[in-house]
Amino acid sequence: MKKVTILLPAYNEEKSFRLMEECMNRVLEENPGYEWEFLLVNDGSTDNTLQQMIRLHNQDPQHWSYIDLSRNYGKEIAMMAGFDHVDSDAMIIMDSDMQHPINVIPEMLKWWEEGYDDVYAQREGSKETWFKRKSSHVYYKLLQRLTNVPIQKDTGDFRLLDRSCIEALKSMREVERNTKGMYSWIGFRKKGITYKQLERQEGETKWKFSALLNLALNGIMAYTTAPLRIVSFLGIFVSLIAFLYLIYIIVVTNLFGEPVAGYPTIMVTILFLGGIQLIGLGIIGEYLGRVFNEVKQRPGYFINSYNGKRKQVEKEKVISKN
């Protein structure tokens, strides 16, 4: 019997556990042909999320497992920890607030059995605000134009991954992660299905505007150098305009004499060129900051415990030669 793990990262989601437990019990009842594991990842929650995970594991250790991270690392790193601890034939990633419907899981399993390695779910409709839907659409369209990696639009982490995809993602150890781009970068056979996102029934979303903006910037910076190229082309364009303007000044001076210098024109030119330079430096700084974080080669995360068993950081013994 094939084993399938459902990965459920959670941060301050204690109110969602009642619904989560009901949904996962339905998965067990409606899909008896598989061995199921529900892997919970506590991403440094400050409420009773960890206590809920411990309760589920204690009452049914056969199906429920949990990882307790040492602090809040963010969803991307929480999923990374899940990838490292999954030993199943396939894995389904879902949000712990249960906005992802479980009724599409049988269809995911069907396409997986037919040979697809990555069965991703695309949102058909959403209850989110107009601004959030529109900005998400524009972002995916922009990302598709900037990168040479095919990015599936309106697609998140809700998907089924075969063991081959899991191993590929485990081998990618960068800490500045954008997993949505990684799914596309690793390749493998993909199949898209549609679903209607459900409304959140308990708790509140943790994805504030600043967090979404940071995720969007990570996605652009992680998979394309197009912003650097755009600044380069912009610099060439501005230099060309400046050169043409220089010729204009020389011609006008020779024909009509030296004109009186205009203060507004000088200020506008200085501010425009200064703004372009600052934008360029800012983009370079974004890339350089990510390089700085990666070259330190720190682990992506540390774990307090796995199913209640304490995990300690292994210390390397340095032996000096006399």
Side-chain angles (χ1 to χ4, degrees), residues 22 26 90 93 97 102 107 109 195 208 276 281 294 312:
E22 292 176 2
R26 281 179 52 197
I93 307 169
D97 57 16
I102 61 172
E107 186 178 1
L109 294 170
Y195 78 100
K208 307 301 182 184
I276 295 296
L281 288 173
E294 295 296 340
Q312 297 181 349

Side-chain angles (χ1 to χ4, degrees), residues 271-298:
L271 291 173
F272 175 72
L273 293 177
I276 295 296
Q277 291 173 340
L278 289 175
I279 291 173
L281 288 173
I283 292 175
I284 294 172
E286 288 288 338
Y287 281 101
L288 186 60
R290 282 158 176 76
V291 172
F292 172 72
N293 287 332
E294 295 296 340
V295 297
K296 288 185 286 188
Q297 295 184 337
R298 293 178 179 175

Side-chain angles (χ1 to χ4, degrees), residues 302 312-318:
F302 289 114
Q312 297 181 349
V313 180
E314 294 183 2
K315 297 180 180 179
E316 295 182 359
K317 294 181 179 179
V318 179

